[in-house]
Amino acid sequence: MGQNLAQLGDQSRLSPDLLPTKSEARTWKVSHFFSIWMGSVHNVPSYVTIGGFFALGISIWQVFFIIMFSSLLLAVMMVLNGHAGSKYGIPFSILLRSSYGKKGALFPGVLRGVIAAIMWFGLQTYAGSLAVMILIGEFWPAYLTLGGEFNLLGLNLPGLLSFLLFWMINVLFIFAGMERLGKLTKIVSPLVFVVFGGMAIWSINLAGGITPILSYSAKGAEGNSLFIFMTCVSAIMATWVAQILSVADVTRFSRSNKEQTIGQISGLIITYLLFAVASITIIVGSEIAFGVPIWNVLDVVERFDSKFSIALSLTTICLSSLSVNIVGNIIPAGFQLTALFPKKLNFKTGALIAAIIGILIMPWKLMENPTSIFTFLNIVGGLLSPVIGVMLTHYYLICKKEINIQELYSFNDNHLSQGTHLPAMLATIIAGLISLTGNFVPLFAPLTSISWFTGIFLAIPLYLAFFYASKLVELKAVKE
């Protein structure tokens, strides 16, 4: 195996970080995959999303069913797109070559691994720094007033110090390696259950028991119930589109496909079950108790009357944010930058550059105008969901789960190693444009409202049609 990897490195001229994972480095077990995505489930944006569902007038049991259906769908998508990573040990940036070609892979790779990942890295780092600032201020109140009127590009001194501190902790994990990341997720796992389970109990007590929460009556959502259901599921899935795409970056470290399959399915469904209970009880319970629903878990923590509970909760939120930031943002960005500049960068230098850019985009400024941020992210999500459709179609229906690794890493003159696979590009662009058309043409607004479904389920037939049409053209050219 080692000799084969060396040969691939020589012929591909790539950084060793992009070569198939060595057998001795494939150490991730079920327990690693069980806990890896907990930070991606339990975070502030996720709770705000559920709050939006209640704002639509959806009932408790409808919200619960939406969450659990989404968790099952998500688990299936993660396992399906993670299969190639666990089987061949290749990262997402190399796997893309199978369906898009070497040059063609740069388009979806840059969208996911650079633009979306770096922006999310900056935003998650800033969100985590807010928890850090509250945590330090709880034990050192004077910290919150340091610097007086000091202001640097919109950040006061406590905000700036908290941001840089949390940023540096993220950077340390870049150099710590995947094994340390695996240990972090194992630490986060029990803390998440304790803290968010505790928040659920706290909210139930606030509401006067579970009965008032279960008796909560929604005003009722207007419109087609099936369409509203698909819209809500699409909203949850859209927040995962990037992780679904690049899941091979973590499944490549799996000891077997069985390990990642059992780990991801059990982990996501059980974690989302806790999330469903916690999010519903926190939002509904706070509305019953205070007359106003609390959608931000940081606001919930600040209402606790125990310093220990506050410290434990904020620490868990920080670790959870750190986990999702490393796995969902910095790892894909590092690998993609390495793929773009294989002779100059390795994973660690690429990830460090991504982290530095994450500061330069000034995410605290971006969060001052949330409308523009989420418009941008929706556009990226609309363009990325067709990539999932193309990748799954190519791997399962075209390749039948068989990939020529030598061809992916070679510099021979074929569409995989050198050029652009036109059917994949056309399917991605057309499906992406249609899924986003509703932003500009009201008639197509329903398609944009369910852009995750629109992008994937348009890309599949489009790719198959373009792929077999190209084969017919090639066959005709050969006969002539």
Side-chain angles (χ1 to χ4, degrees), residues 444-455:
F444 292 96
L447 293 179
T448 301
S449 298
I450 55 172
S451 62
W452 189 84
F453 290 106
T454 304

Side-chain angles (χ1 to χ4, degrees), residues 226-256:
L226 177 60
F227 180 74
I228 292 173
F229 170 80
M230 292 182 64
T231 300
C232 293
V233 172
S234 181
I236 293 176
M237 297 301 294
T239 64
W240 285 91
V241 65
Q243 288 95 322
I244 294 172
L245 272 178
S246 59
V247 66
D249 284 338
V250 291
T251 58
R252 64 186 296 218
F253 296 97
S254 178
R255 298 197 304 184
S256 68

Side-chain angles (χ1 to χ4, degrees), residues 126-137:
Y126 178 61
S129 73
L130 295 177
V132 170
M133 185 167 64
I134 296 172
L135 178 60
I136 296 175

Side-chain angles (χ1 to χ4, degrees), residues 191-212:
L191 287 176
V192 163
F193 279 93
V194 170
V195 169
F196 287 94
M199 286 186 186
I201 295 172
W202 176 81
S203 300
I204 291 172
N205 289 333
L206 270 182
I210 192 65
T211 303

Side-chain angles (χ1 to χ4, degrees), residues 40-363:
S40 300
V41 175
H42 291 277
N43 53 56
V44 175
S46 296
Y47 280 83
V48 172
T49 300
I50 303 305
F53 295 168
F54 282 109
L56 290 174
I58 300 175
S59 72
I60 285 178
W61 293 110
Q62 287 173 324
V63 171
F64 181 83
F65 181 69
I66 287 169
I67 293 173
M68 296 314 300
F69 178 83
S70 299
S71 72
L72 178 60
L73 178 60
L74 172 61
V76 170
M77 297 300 292
M78 284 290 198
V79 168
L80 288 177
N81 216 32
H83 185 278
S86 63
K87 182 176 182 179
Y88 298 100
I90 56 177
F92 163 67
S93 55
I94 297 300
L95 178 60
L96 276 176
R97 294 182 177 187
S98 176
S99 47
Y100 286 87
K102 181 184 176 184
K103 293 181 179 177
L106 297 179
F107 172 65
V110 168
L111 275 178
R112 191 282 174 254
V114 180
I115 299 176
I118 290 177
M119 174 159 284
W120 269 117
F121 172 80
L123 294 174
Q124 290 281 9
T125 301
Y126 178 61
S129 73
L130 295 177
V132 170
M133 185 167 64
I134 296 172
L135 178 60
I136 296 175
E138 190 65 32
F139 294 93
W140 180 22
Y143 176 76
L144 300 177
T145 59
L146 286 179
E149 299 299 321
F150 173 88
N151 189 290
L152 179 65
L153 301 173
L155 274 185
N156 58 22
L157 186 58
L160 177 62
L161 293 175
S162 300
F163 179 82
L164 292 177
L165 175 60
F166 193 63
W167 179 87
M168 285 189 288
I169 295 173
N170 278 269
V171 170
L172 286 176
F173 272 90
I174 294 174
F175 297 93
M178 291 297 291
E179 195 60 37
R180 294 291 176 86
L181 177 61
K183 292 179 180 179
L184 171 66
T185 61
K186 286 187 175 182
I187 294 173
V188 172
S189 178
L191 287 176
V192 163
F193 279 93
V194 170
V195 169
F196 287 94
M199 286 186 186
I201 295 172
W202 176 81
S203 300
I204 291 172
N205 289 333
L206 270 182
I210 192 65
T211 303
I213 292 178
L214 294 177
S215 302
Y216 174 82
S217 177
K219 65 181 180 181
E222 298 180 0
N224 184 287
S225 58
L226 177 60
F227 180 74
I228 292 173
F229 170 80
M230 292 182 64
T231 300
C232 293
V233 172
S234 181
I236 293 176
M237 297 301 294
T239 64
W240 285 91
V241 65
Q243 288 95 322
I244 294 172
L245 272 178
S246 59
V247 66
D249 284 338
V250 291
T251 58
R252 64 186 296 218
F253 296 97
S254 178
R255 298 197 304 184
S256 68
N257 186 62
K258 182 179 179 181
E259 302 263 8
Q260 71 97 3
T261 299
I262 296 174
Q264 292 206 91
I265 290 177
S266 60
L268 284 167
I269 292 177
I270 293 174
T271 302
Y272 258 112
L273 177 61
L274 170 63
F275 173 75
V277 173
S279 62
I280 290 172
T281 54
I282 289 171
I283 293 169
V284 175
S286 62
E287 182 170 2
I288 293 172
F290 305 118
V292 178
I294 299 177
W295 298 350
N296 190 328
V297 289
L298 292 177
D299 293 335
V300 173
V301 172
E302 287 187 301
R303 292 177 182 263
F304 291 170
D305 55 9
S306 165
K307 281 190 178 294
F308 175 77
S309 299
I310 292 173
L312 180 63
S313 300
L314 290 173
T315 300
T316 301
I317 292 171
C318 288
L319 291 176
S320 180
S321 299
L322 178 64
S323 174
V324 65
N325 224 7
I326 298 298
V327 177
N329 301 320
I330 205 64
I331 288 178
F335 279 126
Q336 191 57 48
L337 285 172
T338 304
L340 288 174
F341 307 101
K343 296 180 181 179
K344 298 181 178 180
L345 300 178
N346 57 31
F347 166 72
K348 291 180 179 179
T349 54
L352 181 59
I353 290 172
I356 293 172
I357 297 174
I359 294 179
L360 298 179
I361 64 173
M362 295 187 292

Side-chain angles (χ1 to χ4, degrees), residues 417-476:
S417 62
Q418 290 284 42
T420 298
H421 194 201
L422 194 57
M425 290 296 290
L426 287 175
T428 301
I429 293 172
I430 293 174
L433 289 175
I434 292 175
S435 67
L436 295 173
T437 301
N439 288 319
F440 315 101
V441 182
L443 181 64
F444 292 96
L447 293 179
T448 301
S449 298
I450 55 172
S451 62
W452 189 84
F453 290 106
T454 304
I456 290 179
F457 290 108
L458 278 178
I460 292 173
L462 284 173
Y463 179 58
L464 287 173
F466 289 138
F467 179 84
Y468 287 112
S470 68
K471 291 299 180 184
L472 289 175
V473 171
E474 290 176 9
L475 183 62
K476 183 177 179 181

